[in-house]
């Protein structure tokens, strides 16, 4: 029985996995997405607004 990692590797190397990877790379290059990630990291690090 293939392990979860083996199944992920097989999916990633197939055509659908390559398409998903390309889509993720485009999404990661988008300045709006980068801004959202920076905001999230700032909140997680305690740099965002806190509710009391």
């Amino acid at each position: 029985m293939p392990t979860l990692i083996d199944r992920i590797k097989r999916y990633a190397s197939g055509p659908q996995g390559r398409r998903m990877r390309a889509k993720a790379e485009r999404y990661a290059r988008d300045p709006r997405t980068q801004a959202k990630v920076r905001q999230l990291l700032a909140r997680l690090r305690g740099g965002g607004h806190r509710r009391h």
Side-chain angles (χ1 to χ4, degrees), residues 28-48:
R29 283 193 301 267
D30 184 353
R32 290 173 295 188
T33 305
Q34 292 175 1
K36 288 179 187 177
V37 170
R38 280 193 295 274
Q39 289 173 354
L40 176 64
L41 289 175
R43 279 198 348 231
L44 292 174
R45 292 179 182 146

